[in-house]
Amino acid sequence: MRVLLTGSAGFIGGAVDRALAAAAHEVVRVDLLTPAAHGPDAAAPPGTHRLDVRDADRWRGLLRGVDVVCHQAAVVGAGVTVADLPAYASHNDVGTAALLAAMSAEGVARLVLASSMVVYGEGRYACPVHGDRVPPPRAPEALEAGEFDNHCPDCGQDLAWAPVDETARLDPRSGYAASKVAQEHYASAWARQSGSAVVALRYHNVYGPHMPRDTPYSGVAAMFRSSVERGEPPQVYEDGAQVRDFVHVDDVARANVLAVDAVSGSAAAPFAAYNVASGRPVTILRVAQLVSSGAERPVPPAVTGRYRAGDVRHVVASPARATAELGFTAAVPPEDGLPAFATAPLRDGGAHQLV
């Protein structure tokens, strides 16, 4: 099939590009290559159209003959300040809307959308007495006192985490998260209005070769690696017991290839979302230990007790639907991938990253 891939020169986009080509798809590559994401002197890789997805109506001729669009381009990160909101809204929301309009104009009716676990906000929690419960936001005074766990709103007991499935409520906690929810909603509305089909892949914590180096917008695995490279202890926030799922970029790329096949099928639903996760949750302290263990000179992590307002305590996905409906199962467990990440090649980046 002919697949137009946005964000093709980025961390995840580059891996998806390689996986699509290996699966014998014809790839049309589009990337803005902003200096903030790729450095001031970035050159377009061979065969890449250096274009802005927000101007998709101006370059929509590239969509002629395309079977599926794989939309990876986005400003990513947790959002360090509210000053980031216009960048998220412009690149992610407006960019996706412009792309969808251009696709309809050219008769392209299949989309694979890069979404994120951040659409869930807090994860799923269960009380041993009252079952599933939605915890209120953690109080600043509790965090200051080192009380990091969520509590049952009925009896006050600690809530245990449980895996989140795709039917969970969407509760974005940052500008980036809000933009990913908006992308999903635009795509879902477009599919229903135009008789098209969308697969949204909700990536969990992606890591691997060519990940952007340490910036305020990088993933925590990259920050831990940078600390170890400097000979400094990786700084673990809270008590390190917060649980996440870390998925290797090669597994994410393979999920995209499977999604391209699925969305092209005659039985494709107008909109379907899937968690893309390893299925092997780890604590943040364990992530720091695993990354450090793969370094030439391991440095034990430091549990700081510090916290960031708006951080969630636990969020762990269930990849069961992706396994059942896409045939996706992660091949790289964190116990192997995170130590290898300690010496994997990275890329330099700026204030924001585009995948």
Side-chain angles (χ1 to χ4, degrees), residues 25 50 54 57-58 81-82 110-111 121 130 135 140 150 198 204 209 220 244 252 263 316 330:
H25 293 297
R50 189 166 187 168
R54 294 170 294 181
D57 190 58
R58 297 174 59 185
T81 72
V82 294
R110 298 292 183 264
L111 174 71
H130 298 98
N150 287 298
V198 177
H204 282 246
V220 68
R244 300 289 190 272
V252 170
V263 80
V316 175

Side-chain angles (χ1 to χ4, degrees), residues 8-205:
S8 61
F11 163 49
I12 296 175
V16 174
D17 183 6
R18 294 187 291 274
L20 287 169
H25 293 297
E26 180 187 356
V27 184
V28 180
R29 300 170 180 87
V30 173
D31 199 297
L32 182 56
L33 288 148
T34 61
H38 296 271
D41 303 313
T48 302
H49 301 273
R50 189 166 187 168
L51 299 165
D52 192 329
V53 70
R54 294 170 294 181
D55 295 330
D57 190 58
R58 297 174 59 185
W59 52 260
R60 73 186 196 199
L62 290 176
L63 289 160
R64 289 173 194 152
V66 164
D67 299 295
V68 182
V69 170
C70 191
H71 184 32
Q72 306 294 318
V75 173
V76 307
V80 175
T81 72
V82 294
D84 298 324
L85 290 173
Y88 290 127
S90 176
H91 286 275
N92 300 358
D93 300 3
V94 175
T96 299
L99 176 62
L100 294 171
M103 289 172 63
S104 285
E106 293 296 339
V108 182
R110 298 292 183 264
L111 174 71
V112 174
L113 174 68
S115 189
S116 172
M117 67 167 190
V118 298
V119 299
Y120 297 124
E122 280 279 7
R124 179 182 165 204
Y125 294 88
C127 170
V129 176
H130 298 98
D132 280 4
R133 285 294 180 269
V134 177
R138 295 184 294 172
E141 55 270 22
L143 296 171
E144 285 287 349
E147 179 54 65
F148 302 117
D149 282 316
N150 287 298
H151 302 286
C152 176
D154 296 315
C155 67
Q157 292 195 60
D158 287 354
L159 293 174
W161 66 267
V164 178
D165 68 23
E166 292 84 354
T167 65
R169 74 194 187 285
L170 304 185
D171 184 20
R173 301 294 181 92
S174 69
Y176 171 60
S179 76
K180 300 311 284 186
V181 170
Q183 284 185 302
E184 287 198 14
H185 286 172
Y186 275 117
S188 177
W190 167 80
R192 287 167 173 78
Q193 286 181 278
S194 62
S196 303
V198 177
V199 168
L201 300 178
R202 292 173 179 168
Y203 304 155
H204 282 246
N205 296 272

